[in-house]
Amino acid sequence: MTAMQETDPKQFIGDFFTDFTDEVVHGEGDPGPAMDRFYTPDIVQYADGIRLDYEKLLAHIKPVRKNLVEGRFEVHEAVADGERLAARFTIHAQMRKGSAIATEVHFFGRFTPDGRLAEARQLTRALPDLKKAGSDD
C-alpha cells in the first residue's frame, strides 16, 4: 500500500478504496488479514452518524461480499494536510439482484504513515436513478 504522502490525494483515496474492495470484498476466505492492511485495529468510522469500529466494519464485509457484483470509485476532489485527507467521491455499485446504485460520499479521514485508515467520518447520500427519473442518460 502506498503512503498518503507519496501520491496525489485524489489518486491515493481512489486507490485505497478500489484496492480495499478488490482484496477484501472480492477476495476468498477470511477477510481479516486483508482488512488489517487497510485499517488500524483501533479504527473508528462514523458513517451518517453511525459508529463503526474494526469488528463492525469486518462484520459489514460479509453482506457486501454476498451482494456486490462490481463497484468503482469516482473521486471528484481530494485534499490532504499531513495525515488528514478530505474527499468527495461517488461510489457506483452493481448489485447481484441487478440494481445499480450510486452514492455520493463526503469523506474526512486520518491515515497512518503506512497508509492505513485510523479514523473516518463520512456523510453520504443516495443519488437518484436518472433512468427512472426520466433522463435519457
Side-chain angles (χ1 to χ4, degrees):
M1 177 178 309
T2 303
M4 187 173 67
Q5 294 78 9
E6 297 175 10
T7 188
D8 173 72
K10 280 179 74 170
Q11 184 72 44
F12 174 83
I13 198 69
D15 289 349
F16 178 88
F17 285 115
T18 298
D19 292 348
F20 174 76
T21 301
D22 289 346
E23 285 190 41
V24 178
V25 175
H26 296 303
E28 298 289 328
D30 178 13
M35 181 125 160
D36 291 342
R37 287 192 294 277
F38 290 88
Y39 292 92
T40 62
D42 60 346
I43 177 74
V44 175
Q45 176 175 301
Y46 290 90
D48 298 325
I50 298 169
R51 184 183 190 277
L52 301 168
D53 60 15
Y54 184 94
E55 292 303 319
K56 288 179 181 174
L57 286 166
L58 189 58
H60 179 65
I61 291 172
K62 187 174 182 177
V64 173
R65 273 185 167 180
K66 182 179 178 182
N67 295 309
L68 180 67
V69 173
E70 182 182 335
R72 71 179 174 83
F73 298 85
E74 178 185 3
V75 181
H76 307 291
E77 55 192 330
V79 295
D81 182 17
E83 64 187 11
R84 301 205 174 271
L85 187 142
R88 184 177 61 85
F89 56 89
T90 302
I91 301 169
H92 299 275
Q94 181 66 44
M95 306 311 283
R96 193 159 309 286
K97 294 197 178 192
S99 63
I101 59 173
T103 305
E104 183 179 50
V105 179
H106 295 258
F107 171 91
F108 304 90
R110 182 175 54 83
F111 291 84
T112 60
D114 65 358
R116 292 182 299 151
L117 185 57
E119 178 184 355
R121 293 186 184 266
Q122 299 180 35
L123 300 171
T124 68
R125 73 177 180 112
L127 296 176
D129 183 339
L130 295 178
K131 294 194 184 315
K132 286 183 182 176
S135 171
D136 292 332
D137 294 333

